[in-house]
Amino acid sequence: MLTKRDYPRLGETACVGELENGLRLTVAPKPGYRKSLAFLAVNYGGADRFYEKDGERLESPAGAAHFLEHKTFELEDGQDAMSLLAQRGANANAFTSPDMTAFHFDCADGLEDSLRLLLRFVSAPSFTPESVEREKPIITQEIRMSEDDPEDVMYYGLLRALYEYAPLRENVAGDIDSVEAMDAETLYRLHRDFYVPANMALVVTGRADPAEIEDICLESLPPSSRPRPVAVSPGQEKPGPVSVRTKRAMDVGAPMFLAGAKAKSGLLGRESVKFELTATLALSAVLGTSSPLYRRLYDEGLINETFGCAFENVAGVSHLSFGGETRDPRLVCLRVLEEAAALAARGLDEAFFERQKKTAYGGAIRSLGSLENIAYNLAAGTFAGYDYFETLGVLDTVTAEDCRGFLAAYLTAQSCAISEILTKER
Amino acid sequence: MRGVWLTAVRAERFKTGCLSVTALAEHGKRTAAMNAVLPYVLRRGTSRLPDMESIAGALDDMYGARIEPAIRKRGEIAALGFCADFPDGAFLPGRPDTLGAVAALMGELLLSPATKGGRLRADYVESERRNLLDDIAAEINDKRSYASLRLTGTMFRGERYGVPKLGTAADAERISVATLTKYYKELMASAPIEVFYCGAEPTERVAALVREALSPLPRSAQIRMPVTENAWVVPEGQVRRVTETMDVTQGRLCMGWRLSEAVPDPDRAVLAVFNAAFGGSVTSKLFTHVREELGLCYYAESVTDRWKGALFASAGIDFDMAGTAEREIAAQLDALARGELEDWELEGARRAVVNAVTSVLDEQSGLEGYYLDRSIAGTGLRPEELAARASLVTREEIAAVAACARLKCVTFLTAEDEDADET
């Protein structure tokens, strides 16, 4: 039975509950929308490399979660579920992130039939050793595409400089060798262990009837579930980066960089939301578009529109990052660190901080305009133990002093690593 | 107001508002770089808010409203201006009038730029000119879009359409304070201006706010509507071919066809369903045959440009597969021309278009783009009508589009040890 929750500040409602088989279900109807969106998330991603089952330590090889996502679309008779969904008018897709595999579709009509099909193919795989072989060249091309992407190369360069053990440092799709080594037996084992209702969350938003969705889940999924696998830590990260600088020359128009630093690990629940909001506000105060530093660097021609910052809390670890195109990566990095140190010493200007909070408030409202965004965040919140629709309540509690503390602890010269992409002589 | 058109879509299901102001100008060698740089120069400062920090601060005060420069290319027409999105005041503490504030700032950005001696500020022009040069240089960063850019440039060499959206580095180098100021004044005097709003406010209020925000618009000349030329300059039968080498691990094949000879006035629904059947959906010929069956590539897809009457296909492949992939892609188009389309493929293509058009109704940015295109075309179906028409497109209509396609250009981006040639 689902429980209805109202969020008057946001003008949203959601019906949430855990079914008997352990599936966590959220239905967030959006009156006036023409489309429905269903988002089935498995709490298993590229960074879930080690786990324990029945007392035994097991491995999910590099790239396996992503490979399994590709093969999940295959049906008994060799048909492709994505194509069947398309014929019913559902626009389907899937992705694998470091901590989630998600299958989703949106449609103007026929939600019920398409949802039944989605639940069926995700819970009952049909691939064969031959079809696994056939998939290898496709995934290999996908990896090659990413190898040509300077943003990807720079991003993974930074993660490898920051982390020694965290599997986040590996490409979600694995590498050419791991793809070549994959076999159907391993994929079936991983499906059995991870694709169980107790390890999944379903979110339906847009045009949706909660009672009907619940009925479809009950009739389409197994009545009970094996327990969800227990994650095993790959190793304790030491403070500070593994290496301070990494660089690579590529065919790019201008040099670019991404610098970053590790922050807290093991963040869960409301605390993770507060930490993320604190980090975002603190970073905006140092180098957001309305910060004095941003204007100075832009006026000096040291940065352009590509410059920005981010905070990620993913797969048990978290880090901040900033960067963009510049002719002098190390100078920009240095100026950011100086500004962060100055703000950490004197604290944030209260009026400025309140303006930043207004922007964060508006951002939370704005994010409700996208069904994809709502579904993803509700599912991620389900796995991490928080309610995405409660974000504004958490934002109220963040203070300028929290942000000052964040800068003093994490955005420092000792904690930063830098990943650079240099231009190649042509 | 003379030469200003407002399209307002009242919708209460969103918690945000969307407002865009777009000037329509000619796209071509003379104008492309100036079109690309102008909104960025205007966004640097106004007479009241003289720098980016004060503009960003004002936007923070509007609960993080965003006003971003937007430069779009529709055939040989450039659509340049600003797009704003902002939270609806009804969901904010104290219910502030975010639309009023955004409309006023938008008018200010467009009509009261920071100037010196009657000209746009030299430091802003110079700085944004350099940023544009960086952007043009960065076109090689994304190999997939770079490959498409090469295709368009080669296929439409000598036509305005072949000029990249941002212009060329040489054109950007030539921008000066004097030329850009003159061009800016020219546009404000005579360019058609499209305003779009979507959100909860009533149309009359939006119209009043826009009228006030744009009241300083100096309409001193006749309004000039830019046009797209459909002239075809490549001699019949000649296919232009370019192979370019670069430091890549995956080859990128692009192919371009002309459709306009047989489709002077294309039916938008037919073109859309044709494209979904050829390479624009997961039930398409390119996806199911070239990618899934033959395993030739990670992506193989097509797009059409209805403004110019062109069809483009692209694929990411192994270096030694260029010939095979080109033959297979062409074979799929031939099959469509012969009417070889299973019922499930036809239905899949129709539904893909219906779903995509329906999605537009649920996204403000989608509605903005849709209605801007409709305004530029001067006519057209509403999204609901387009969806209804798409669901009735026949196999024969699709075959007719495929049959009129003529291959005009093939480009291939490959690794550095291959030989480069150009014909």
Side-chain angles (χ1 to χ4, degrees):
Chain A
M1 195 59 197
L2 302 180
T3 313
K4 188 172 175 216
R5 291 185 193 159
D6 284 311
Y7 305 89
R9 271 170 101 180
L10 300 178
E12 300 287 341
T13 61
C15 296
V16 296
E18 186 172 320
L19 307 190
E20 252 175 63
N21 60 13
L23 176 84
R24 283 157 291 173
L25 174 63
T26 306
V27 183
K30 297 277 283 178
Y33 276 68
R34 322 280 167 105
K35 222 171 55 165
S36 310
L37 184 123
F39 187 96
L40 181 62
V42 186
N43 193 359
Y44 168 49
D48 291 306
R49 293 290 311 284
F50 307 100
Y51 65 103
E52 219 176 79
K53 209 190 124 203
D54 305 330
E56 191 187 352
R57 189 186 151 111
L58 294 162
E59 188 184 349
S60 166
H66 174 259
F67 206 120
L68 185 54
E69 171 225 308
H70 271 234
K71 292 324 292 171
T72 299
F73 282 100
E74 193 171 311
L75 300 173
E76 312 84 75
D77 41 10
Q79 273 197 302
D80 174 35
M82 198 188 279
S83 164
L84 276 191
L85 284 166
Q87 289 166 50
R88 292 163 191 221
N91 168 38
N93 214 334
F95 67 82
T96 308
S97 70
D99 57 3
M100 180 194 284
T101 308
F103 302 87
H104 54 96
F105 68 84
D106 57 62
C107 58
D109 49 36
L111 168 68
E112 297 75 15
D113 269 357
S114 295
L115 182 58
R116 280 190 193 94
L117 175 59
L118 175 79
L119 295 173
R120 180 164 69 88
F121 78 77
V122 171
S123 50
S126 306
F127 53 84
T128 62
E130 295 74 40
S131 70
V132 167
E133 288 307 311
R134 275 204 307 277
E135 197 69 25
K136 289 180 179 177
I138 293 179
I139 297 179
T140 299
Q141 287 297 339
E142 187 175 353
I143 292 171
R144 291 219 185 286
M145 214 156 71
S146 160
E147 286 171 353
D148 284 345
D149 183 339
E151 303 269 346
D152 278 7
V153 171
M154 183 168 71
Y155 176 71
Y156 282 108
L158 176 66
L159 294 187
R160 285 184 198 116
L162 288 180
Y163 296 106
E164 189 171 359
Y165 304 108
L168 195 64
R169 64 201 299 284
E170 300 165 348
N171 192 316
V172 168
D175 56 29
I176 309 292
D177 292 339
S178 71
V179 170
E180 211 31 64
M182 195 56 63
D183 61 71
E185 200 184 326
T186 305
L187 293 176
Y188 269 103
R189 187 228 330 151
L190 294 167
H191 187 279
R192 256 194 323 274
D193 292 346
F194 285 99
Y195 281 46
V196 293
N199 200 39
M200 293 180 185
L202 173 68
V203 179
V204 182
T205 182
R207 219 164 59 169
D209 173 4
E212 197 167 9
I213 307 284
E214 186 180 1
D215 287 346
I216 292 171
C217 290
L218 290 172
E219 69 188 47
S220 308
L221 286 172
S224 63
S225 170
R226 289 182 296 282
R228 59 184 77 119
V230 179
V232 174
S233 162
Q236 190 61 45
E237 295 286 339
K238 293 183 204 70
V242 182
S243 64
V244 290
R245 185 173 179 225
T246 153
K247 56 182 179 166
R248 166 108 180 257
M250 291 182 82
D251 263 331
V252 291
M256 53 177 94
F257 81 101
L258 189 68
K262 283 184 286 207
K264 265 187 193 171
S265 55
L267 284 164
L268 281 174
R270 221 176 140 87
E271 190 205 349
S272 72
V273 182
K274 180 162 182 186
F275 194 79
E276 185 164 344
L277 290 167
T278 304
T280 307
L281 287 167
L283 290 171
S284 304
V286 178
L287 58 127
T289 49
S290 51
S291 68
L293 178 68
Y294 185 95
R295 202 229 3 200
R296 287 200 301 271
L297 293 174
Y298 199 105
D299 283 352
E300 289 169 40
L302 276 168
I303 60 169
N304 59 24
E305 282 258 312
T306 61
F307 188 69
C309 54
F311 175 79
E312 274 190 300
N313 171 30
V314 62
V317 291
S318 76
H319 54 261
L320 62 91
S321 61
F322 57 92
E325 285 171 17
T326 176
R327 56 187 151 81
D328 198 340
R330 276 179 284 181
L331 178 59
V332 173
C333 193
L334 186 70
R335 299 273 294 272
V336 168
L337 290 170
E338 282 170 2
E339 183 77 2
L343 280 181
R346 70 166 189 266
L348 280 67
D349 175 73
E350 274 296 336
F352 179 75
F353 175 70
E354 285 309 317
R355 282 213 317 251
Q356 299 291 307
K357 264 181 106 167
K358 277 181 152 183
T359 291
Y361 196 111
I365 300 291
R366 187 164 31 211
S367 71
L368 301 170
S370 151
L371 297 182
E372 288 75 11
N373 199 32
I374 290 175
Y376 170 79
N377 282 299
L378 285 171
T382 301
F383 293 149
Y386 63 84
D387 182 347
Y388 167 60
F389 284 157
E390 297 282 8
T391 305
L392 284 184
V394 182
L395 178 64
D396 292 340
T397 68
V398 179
T399 65
E401 178 53 26
D402 292 334
C403 294
R404 195 202 60 77
F406 177 87
L407 294 176
Y410 302 110
L411 188 46
T412 63
Q414 301 74 32
S415 62
C416 260
I418 182 167
S419 169
E420 291 177 55
I421 301 293
L422 313 171
T423 50
K424 209 172 187 180
E425 295 299 322
R426 296 204 80 209
Chain B
M1 297 175 85
R2 208 153 61 84
V4 180
W5 289 270
L6 168 69
T7 306
V9 177
R10 190 171 187 190
E12 301 195 17
R13 58 187 176 279
F14 303 111
K15 297 187 164 71
T16 46
C18 165
L19 182 72
S20 72
V21 177
T22 308
L24 304 183
E26 180 186 291
H27 170 80
K29 193 162 171 48
R30 183 182 78 88
T31 55
M34 289 197 288
N35 288 333
V37 85
L38 184 57
Y40 284 93
V41 172
L42 298 179
R43 224 255 319 239
R44 286 298 292 274
T46 71
S47 50
R48 184 178 65 95
L49 303 166
D51 56 44
M52 292 174 86
E53 192 182 340
S54 48
I55 293 173
L59 291 168
D60 283 342
D61 264 333
M62 299 172 200
Y63 285 84
R66 290 187 293 212
I67 302 184
E68 296 295 328
I71 296 109
R72 289 171 270 194
K73 179 184 164 196
R74 296 289 180 264
E76 285 154 349
I77 297 171
L80 62 144
F82 298 100
C83 281
D85 70 307
F86 47 91
D88 188 326
F91 297 94
L92 298 172
R95 302 174 70 88
D97 176 17
T98 43
L99 172 64
V102 166
L105 181 52
M106 196 97 117
E108 221 179 305
L109 288 170
L110 194 69
L111 299 167
S112 316
T115 52
K116 200 170 178 188
R119 288 174 166 188
L120 296 167
R121 265 178 64 165
D123 52 345
Y124 289 169
V125 172
E126 177 52 23
S127 151
E128 292 307 330
R129 194 179 65 88
R130 286 193 172 282
N131 286 339
L132 175 62
L133 281 165
D134 285 347
D135 286 348
I136 292 170
E139 280 168 348
I140 63 166
N141 292 10
D142 181 341
K143 305 298 181 273
R144 189 167 168 175
S145 61
Y146 175 76
S148 300
L149 210 58
R150 283 290 277 150
L151 177 79
T152 324
T154 309
M155 181 166 162
F156 296 96
R157 198 164 49 213
E159 292 180 65
R160 289 195 284 129
Y161 188 80
V163 177
K165 186 174 84 172
L166 303 181
T168 62
D171 301 332
E173 290 285 4
R174 275 195 292 276
I175 291 174
S176 70
V177 176
T179 54
L180 192 67
T181 303
K182 181 165 173 273
Y183 185 62
Y184 163 67
K185 289 183 173 165
E186 210 177 287
L187 286 183
M188 291 307 104
S190 64
I193 290 180
E194 289 291 342
V195 182
F196 175 85
Y197 168 76
C198 176
E201 298 280 345
T203 304
E204 305 75 54
R205 171 146 205 273
V206 180
L209 287 170
V210 169
R211 208 172 285 124
E212 192 184 327
L214 298 185
S215 60
L217 195 64
R219 295 314 226 177
S220 52
Q222 193 168 0
I223 305 302
R224 286 182 31 217
M225 185 68 199
V227 291
T228 289
E229 307 278 343
N230 261 316
W232 180 237
V233 294
V234 175
E236 199 60 38
Q238 182 183 330
V239 177
R240 287 178 178 165
R241 288 179 181 275
V242 175
T243 299
E244 183 174 338
T245 61
M246 208 177 245
D247 175 17
V248 289
T249 57
Q250 187 187 66
R252 267 78 167 182
L253 176 73
C254 293
M255 300 168 71
W257 295 261
R258 287 292 295 226
L259 297 173
S260 62
E261 288 133 322
V263 194
D265 183 19
D267 181 327
R268 191 174 169 195
V270 174
L271 264 192
V273 178
F274 156 77
N275 186 58
F278 178 46
S281 73
V282 293
T283 56
S284 70
K285 296 279 187 196
L286 296 189
F287 190 90
T288 55
H289 294 285
V290 183
R291 179 186 134 128
E292 296 288 302
E293 252 177 55
L294 302 172
L296 273 174
C297 50
Y298 174 62
Y299 71 89
E301 56 194 35
S302 67
V303 289
T304 57
D305 184 317
R306 67 193 174 97
W307 306 97
K308 192 69 184 169
L311 166 68
F312 306 109
S314 61
I317 55 175
D318 276 337
F319 299 123
D320 54 357
M321 283 300 177
T324 315
E326 184 187 329
R327 273 193 304 280
E328 289 300 333
I329 290 170
Q332 297 309 321
L333 190 60
D334 289 344
L336 273 185
R338 290 191 299 270
E340 291 169 19
L341 190 66
E342 308 267 340
D343 287 345
W344 65 268
E345 292 174 300
L346 176 60
E347 197 48 32
R350 286 171 175 162
R351 281 176 171 264
V353 174
V354 171
N355 199 49
V357 177
T358 309
S359 295
V360 162
L361 295 166
D362 281 350
E363 282 162 25
Q364 287 177 317
S365 60
L367 284 165
E368 194 270 342
Y370 188 96
Y371 279 101
L372 177 67
D373 285 1
R374 189 168 176 256
S375 302
I376 295 173
T379 170
L381 306 172
R382 287 185 295 109
E384 298 87 339
E385 295 164 341
L386 179 62
R389 169 77 185 98
S391 65
L392 300 173
V393 169
T394 65
R395 185 177 282 111
E396 290 69 32
E397 286 174 308
I398 292 172
V401 176
C404 82
R406 306 225 178 115
L407 183 65
K408 290 295 177 189
C409 189
V410 180
T411 60
F412 187 49
L413 193 60
T414 185
E416 267 155 358
D417 51 358
E418 311 273 320
D419 291 330
D421 60 8
E422 182 156 348
T423 53

